C-alpha cells in the first residue's frame, strides 16, 4: 500500500500478547501507530518506546477523544479484552463488561469521532462445538461459553453499526495463536498461561515439571485434541492486510478466519517440541478438560481471496523455536528484574 494511504492506527490492548505483535507489524510496515492499554494483563515494556502509549481504559471516552484528535486516528485495531474460557464461565459479567460493554463504548466513541475503519479481535470459539471439518465463516455460530458469546455479541454490534454509520469493519476469528516475534521483541508473557505450546516451552525451561495431556479418547487419529496453530506474527500481519482491504473498499465490511487450514494433535505438538529441543518433556495423561472440543481447524479461503496475506511461519518447528527463544528471554528478564 502507498505510504500516503497509511492512516494512524490506534491499537487497544497493544501491550498484550497479540496486540504487541500487531504494533510491531504495523510499525515495521510503516504505519503510524498509538497504543491504549490499561496494563491489567499487558506490559509497558512490550510497546516500543517510540510508539505513543496511553495507560487507560477503552471505556474512558475523554481519553479516547483526546487520542483520536491528537493522533488523527484513522483506524482502530481492538485487542483489549479478557480471554480465559473457564474464567468466563465462573465470572460471565466480567466478560460481558470487558468484551461487550466496553467494546460498545469504544465503538460509539469511534463513530462519534468519525473513525472510518475498525478491526476486531474475535475467536474461533464463536463456532462452539462444531463438526470435525475445516470451518468457514458461514458455519453455525453457537458459542458454548460466555467468552465466545461476549465476542459474538460485539461482532453483531459491529455489523449493525457498519450498516448505520460511515465505518466499515473487519472481524478476524483467530484459531490457536502461538509462537513469538522471530526477533524476540515480544511474546506471550502473562503468568499462569494455559495454552499448550506455552505450557510445553515452560516445561522445557524448567518452570513446570510436566505437560498434562487433557484427554486421549477424542475421536481423532491419536485420540488427542486437534487445533490449527497459527504463529502470532502471521496473525499480526493478517491484521495489516485486513486494514488495507478495509481502506481499499470503504463500503465493504469483512469477517475472516485466521488460521493455516491444517491441524496438529496434542501429541504432534509435543513431539515437535521434543525434536526442536532435543529433550523429552514429561507427559501425563489426564481426563478431558471441560469445554474442550475434539478439533478446531479453519478454512482460510476467504482471507486468501480478499487480501494478499502470505503467512511465512506455517511450520510447527519454527513456531516452537520462536516460543522457546521468547520463553528463555522472559526467564532471563524476570531473573534480572
Ligand atoms: C484457546 C483459548 C481460547 C481461544 C482459542 C482459539 C483458553 C482456555 N482457550 O483454545 O480462548 O479462543 O484458543 O484461539 O484460553 N492441552 C493439553 N494440555 C495443556 C493445554 C492444552 O492437552 O496443558 C490441549 C487442549 O485440551 C486442546 C489443545 O491442547 O486440545 C489446545 O489447548 P489450548 O492451547 O489451551 O487452546 P484452546 O483451548 O484450543
Amino acid at each position: 500500500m502507498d505510504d500516503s494511504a497509511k492512516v494512524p492506527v490506534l491499537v487497544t490492548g497493544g501491550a498484550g500478547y497479540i496486540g504487541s505483535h500487531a504494533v510491531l507489524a504495523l510499525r515495521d510496515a510503516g504505519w503510524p501507530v498509538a497504543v491504549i492499554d490499561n496494563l491489567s494483563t499487558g506490559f509497558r515494556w512490550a510497546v516500543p518506546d517510540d510508539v505513543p502509549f496511553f495507560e487507560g481504559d477503552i471505556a474512558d471516552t475523554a481519553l479516547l477523544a483526546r487520542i483520536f484528535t491528537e493522533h488523527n486516528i484513522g483506524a482502530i485495531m481492538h485487542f483489549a479484552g479478557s480471554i480465559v474460557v473457564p474464567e468466563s464461565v465462573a465470572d460471565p459479567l466480567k466478560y460481558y463488561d470487558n468484551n461487550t460493554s466496553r467494546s460498545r463504548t469504544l465503538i460509539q466513541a469511534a463513530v462519534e469521532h468519525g473513525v472510518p475503519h475498525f478491526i476486531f479481535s474475535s475467536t474461533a470459539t464463536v463456532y462452539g462445538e462444531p463438526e470435525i471439518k475445516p470451518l468457514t465463516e458461514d458455519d453455525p455460530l453457537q458459542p458454548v461459553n460466555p467468552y465466545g458469546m461476549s465476542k459474538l455479541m460485539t461482532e453483531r454490534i459491529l455489523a449493525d453499526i457498519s450498516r448505520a454509520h460511515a465505518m466499515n469493519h473487519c472481524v478476524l476469528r483467530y484459531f490457536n495463536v502461538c509462537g513469538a516475534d522471530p526477533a524476540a521483541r515480544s511474546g506471550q508473557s502473562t503468568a499462569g498461561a494455559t495454552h499448550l505450546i506455552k505450557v510445553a516451552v515452560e516445561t522445557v525451561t524448567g518452570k513446570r515439571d510436566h505437560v498434562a495431556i487433557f484427554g486421549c479418547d477424542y475421536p481423532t487419529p491419536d485420540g488427542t485434541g486437534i487445533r490449527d496453530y497459527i504463529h502470532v506474527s502471521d496473525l499480526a500481519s493478517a491484521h495489516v492486510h485486513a486494514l488495507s482491504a478495509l481502506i481499499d473498499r470503504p463500503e465493504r465490511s469483512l469477517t475472516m478466519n485466521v488460521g493455516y487450514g491444517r491441524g496438529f494433535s496434542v501429541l504432534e505438538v509435543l513431539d515437535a517440541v521434543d525434536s526442536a529441543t532435543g529433550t523429552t518433556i514429561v507427559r501425563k495423561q489426564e481426563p478431558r478438560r471441560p469445554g474442550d472440543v475434539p478439533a478446531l481447524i479453519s478454512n482460510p479461503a476467504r482471507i486468501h481471496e480478499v487480501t494478499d496475506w502470505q503467512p511465512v511461519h506455517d511450520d510447527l518447528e519454527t513456531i516452537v523455536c520462536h516460543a522457546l527463544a521468547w520463553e528463555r528471554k522472559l526467564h532471563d528478564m524476570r531473573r534480572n528484574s
Side-chain angles (χ1 to χ4, degrees), residues 83 85-86 123 125 147 174-177 194-196 199 211-214 225 227 229 266 289 292:
I83 58 159
V85 172
T123 168
T125 306
Y147 167 64
Y174 311 158
F175 283 69
N176 283 61
V177 188
T194 58
H195 292 92
L196 179 64
V199 168
V211 177
I213 300 173
F214 295 135
R227 297 290 184 274
Y229 294 93
V266 175
R289 188 172 64 178
D292 277 352

Side-chain angles (χ1 to χ4, degrees), residues 193-206:
T194 58
H195 292 92
L196 179 64
I197 292 179
K198 174 76 175 172
V199 168
V201 295
E202 284 184 352
T203 310
V204 173
T205 61

Side-chain angles (χ1 to χ4, degrees), residues 14 19 39 48-49 78 109 125 138 142-143 146 149 157 165 168 173 190 208 244 258 296 308 329-330 332:
L39 298 183
D49 287 339
H78 176 34
T125 306
D138 299 325
Q142 298 164 331
M149 186 56 85
I157 292 171
H165 299 282
N168 69 341
R173 294 185 183 144
T190 314
R208 300 175 189 246
S244 296
V258 199
L296 268 182
D308 54 5
K329 181 170 174 182
L330 193 63
D332 291 345

Side-chain angles (χ1 to χ4, degrees), residues 21-332:
H21 288 83
V23 169
L24 293 173
L26 286 162
R27 190 165 150 273
D28 291 350
W31 295 74
V33 53
V35 166
I36 179 171
D37 196 301
N38 66 11
L39 298 183
S40 59
T41 56
F43 300 93
R44 178 64 185 89
W45 51 253
V47 181
D49 287 339
D50 60 358
V51 171
F53 177 83
F54 298 87
E55 182 174 345
D57 201 274
I58 55 165
D60 181 345
T61 50
L63 177 59
L64 288 175
R66 181 157 77 82
I67 302 171
F68 291 157
T69 307
E70 279 178 11
H71 291 274
N72 194 25
I73 295 299
I76 296 174
M77 289 189 184
H78 176 34
F79 298 92
S82 300
I83 58 159
V84 182
V85 172
E87 184 189 45
S88 80
V89 176
D91 189 2
L93 287 171
K94 174 175 174 180
Y95 280 69
Y96 290 118
D97 182 22
N98 280 346
N99 294 351
T100 314
S101 303
R102 283 168 205 256
S103 293
R104 196 212 67 87
T105 302
L106 172 70
I107 294 163
Q108 179 174 350
V111 167
E112 285 173 359
H113 285 80
V115 177
H117 311 293
F118 196 102
I119 295 189
F120 177 55
S121 155
S122 191
T123 168
T125 306
V126 297
Y127 296 113
E129 296 179 11
E131 279 178 60
I132 303 184
K133 64 160 191 121
L135 298 166
T136 74
E137 294 80 358
D138 299 325
D139 274 305
L141 303 173
Q142 298 164 331
V144 292
N145 51 57
Y147 167 64
M149 186 56 85
S150 69
K151 289 282 187 178
L152 181 55
M153 289 167 88
T154 301
E155 289 193 12
R156 294 272 155 84
I157 292 171
L158 284 166
D160 290 340
I161 293 309
S162 289
R163 278 191 281 270
H165 299 282
M167 183 181 84
N168 69 341
H169 74 274
C170 177
V171 165
L172 293 177
R173 294 185 183 144
Y174 311 158
F175 283 69
N176 283 61
V177 188
C178 50
D181 177 54
R185 293 172 295 176
S186 190
Q188 199 171 353
S189 311
T190 314
T194 58
H195 292 92
L196 179 64
I197 292 179
K198 174 76 175 172
V199 168
V201 295
E202 284 184 352
T203 310
V204 173
T205 61
K207 192 169 174 194
R208 300 175 189 246
D209 60 11
H210 73 278
V211 177
I213 300 173
F214 295 135
C216 295
D217 56 351
Y218 283 106
T220 59
D222 67 19
T224 64
I226 292 179
R227 297 290 184 274
D228 186 344
Y229 294 93
I230 172 165
H231 192 293
V232 63
S233 298
D234 279 339
L235 177 72
S237 94
H239 288 72
V240 180
H241 287 281
L243 178 54
S244 296
L246 290 183
I247 292 171
D248 283 349
R249 300 259 307 263
E251 75 290 355
R252 177 182 67 175
S253 289
L254 298 163
T255 296
M256 304 190 291
N257 288 335
V258 199
Y260 293 138
R262 51 94 185 107
F264 291 108
S265 72
V266 175
L267 296 184
E268 286 172 327
V269 170
L270 298 181
D271 287 348
V273 175
D274 283 352
S275 86
T277 58
T279 57
T280 307
I281 48 179
V282 177
R283 311 169 179 196
K284 292 192 181 162
Q285 289 188 12
E286 291 196 12
R288 291 183 183 194
R289 188 172 64 178
D292 277 352
V293 298
L296 268 182
I297 302 171
S298 69
N299 175 336
R302 186 180 290 172
I303 190 167
H304 289 294
E305 269 161 38
V306 171
T307 74
D308 54 5
W309 177 59
Q310 297 276 1
V312 293
H313 303 296
D314 179 3
D315 173 67
L316 196 50
E317 192 158 331
T318 304
I319 288 173
V320 168
C321 287
H322 292 167
L324 188 60
W326 175 253
E327 197 57 39
R328 290 191 165 127
K329 181 170 174 182
L330 193 63
H331 184 77
D332 291 345

